[in-house]
């Protein structure tokens, strides 16, 4: 809405997470009145092609980003040089991504070669890493207690997997999490 951040003079950064369907981010003409800030939006996003030309009443710099939030206390980052996706923080990764097409790293899902979920993350929701077809390695934390339905489907290049014993093997904690991982040859449960 208009003047939504008026008087928020310390506001310097705004992070937009987008899914495959776009974002609910819809500022109006004076939303950032008097604000000087940088808005970070996902790389490869088509949603902001016209929006980026507007400052919405403030001094706004638009910047493509390879990072963002993916939960109340969880963050993601992608390194385009190493093609590594890292999830850090604590608690649950947010939401349940619909059929692997609406996760915030979707613009480069096919490029990802490795996925590291750091200590502190406890739950991986449905479809979180689905269609990361080029990922050959996935590192999961010992703090992980649940992997939801279809979380790693279609990770066809994944060749080995280490599952932490913090997840009860053979329980519903795994569901059908690793369907169509055709290259998977070794699974280690520790």
């Amino acid at each position: 809405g208009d003047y939504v951040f008026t008087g928020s003079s310390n506001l310097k950064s705004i992070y937009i997470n987008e899914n495959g369907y776009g974002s609910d981010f819809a500022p109006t003409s004076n939303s950032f009145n008097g604000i000087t800030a940088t808005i970070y939006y996902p790389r490869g996003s088509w949603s902001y092609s016209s929006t980026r030309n507007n400052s919405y009443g403030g001094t706004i710099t638009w910047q493509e980003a390879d990072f963002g939030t993916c939960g109340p206390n969880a963050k993601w980052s992608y390194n385009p040089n190493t093609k590594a996706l890292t999830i850090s923080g604590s608690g649950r990764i947010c939401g349940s991504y619909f059929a692997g097409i609406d996760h915030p790293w979707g613009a480069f899902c096919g490029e990802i070669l490795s996925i590291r979920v750091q200590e502190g993350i406890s739950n991986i929701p449905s479809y979180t890493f689905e269609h990361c077809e080029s990922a050959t390695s996935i590192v999961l934390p010992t703090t992980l207690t649940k992997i939801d339905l279809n979380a790693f489907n279609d990770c066809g290049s994944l060749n080995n997997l280490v599952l932490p014993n913090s997840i009860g093997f053979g329980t519903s904690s795994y569901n059908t999490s690793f369907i169509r991982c055709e290259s998977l040859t070794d699974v280690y449960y520790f």
Side-chain angles (χ1 to χ4, degrees), residues 72-161:
N73 299 305
K75 296 179 180 181
W76 66 274
S77 62
Y78 176 69
N79 183 324
N81 296 321
T82 63
K83 302 198 180 308
L85 175 67
T86 302
I87 308 294
S88 60
S90 62
R92 177 183 171 85
I93 298 172
C94 67
S96 180
Y97 302 107
F98 177 72
I101 59 172
D102 62 348
H103 33 59
W105 43 86
F108 38 84
C109 189
E111 299 173 16
I112 296 170
L113 297 179
S114 66
I115 298 168
R116 174 180 285 285
V117 181
Q118 294 184 338
E119 293 295 323
I121 299 298
S122 60
N123 188 300
I124 298 175
S126 296
Y127 305 104
T128 301
F129 301 110
E130 185 177 50
H131 302 303
C132 292
E133 293 100 355
S134 299
T136 59
S137 70
I138 297 172
V139 176
L140 301 173
T142 59
T143 53
L144 191 64
T145 57
K146 188 172 184 188
I147 301 172
D148 287 343
L149 180 71
N150 303 317
F152 293 95
N153 288 0
D154 297 310
C155 290
S157 298
L158 178 64
N159 53 38
N160 68 60
L161 176 65

Side-chain angles (χ1 to χ4, degrees), residues 158-189:
L158 178 64
N159 53 38
N160 68 60
L161 176 65
V162 178
L163 294 172
N165 64 10
S166 54
I167 301 174
F169 188 73
T171 69
S172 61
S173 295
Y174 285 107
N175 293 309
T176 54
S177 299
F178 299 95
I179 292 177
R180 291 179 301 278
C181 294
E182 296 92 358
S183 299
L184 188 59
T185 58
D186 299 300
V187 176
Y188 302 92
Y189 182 69

Side-chain angles (χ1 to χ4, degrees), residues 52-85:
R52 291 188 302 249
N53 297 324
N54 197 324
S55 62
Y56 300 100
T59 303
I60 302 298
T61 302
W62 292 83
Q63 178 69 47
E64 281 190 318
D66 292 330
F67 59 88
T69 60
C70 57
N73 299 305
K75 296 179 180 181
W76 66 274
S77 62
Y78 176 69
N79 183 324
N81 296 321
T82 63
K83 302 198 180 308
L85 175 67

Side-chain angles (χ1 to χ4, degrees), residues 15-26:
Y15 303 92
I16 302 172
N17 277 332
E18 179 180 287
N19 56 39
Y21 303 109
S23 170
D24 291 334
F25 182 77

